[in-house]
Amino acid sequence: MNKTELVAAIVKKAGWEDKKDAKKNAEALVNAFTETVAEALKDGDKVQLIGFGTFEISERKARTGRNPRTGESMKIKASKAPKFKPGKAFKDAIN
């Protein structure tokens, strides 16, 4: 499912098919949600949605790796990566 399909699914699930500007408003909601989560993670916060899951930052330490083409050792910088941990209710709904 891509973003357009997600917006259409939200409009249908919310029963907004007959509402004016429903797709525009649903897309604004999706954009606001993703931007808000990204900003919270950037600020070092985590976003916890009870029953759905938790978005948080995972910190990776600097390490030495190997270039797969040459086999040469190289240093890999420390980095941060977003991580999603599903909640129990979400896992149960899928299984």
Side-chain angles (χ1 to χ4, degrees):
M1 177 180 284
N2 62 30
K3 184 177 176 181
T4 304
E5 294 166 338
L6 176 62
V7 168
I10 289 171
V11 168
K12 185 176 179 181
K13 192 73 146 177
W16 294 345
E17 291 98 345
D18 58 341
K19 303 283 183 185
K20 184 180 177 186
D21 298 330
K23 284 189 179 180
K24 182 179 168 184
N25 292 336
E27 185 174 2
L29 287 171
V30 170
N31 289 339
F33 175 77
T34 56
E35 290 170 12
T36 302
V37 170
E39 288 170 6
L41 295 178
K42 188 176 179 182
D43 292 342
D45 296 332
K46 70 179 181 178
V47 178
Q48 185 174 2
L49 304 171
I50 303 296
F52 184 69
T54 304
F55 296 91
E56 57 190 342
I57 289 292
S58 175
E59 296 194 22
R60 297 178 180 163
K61 296 180 181 178
R63 62 190 192 280
T64 303
R66 293 210 175 269
N67 182 330
R69 282 193 184 159
T70 63
E72 180 181 322
S73 291
M74 55 189 276
K75 292 184 180 182
I76 301 172
K77 294 179 184 177
S79 64
K80 296 178 181 178
K83 180 171 77 170
F84 176 74
K85 182 179 176 187
K88 183 178 182 334
F90 184 50
K91 284 192 243 181
D92 292 345
I94 292 173
N95 290 323

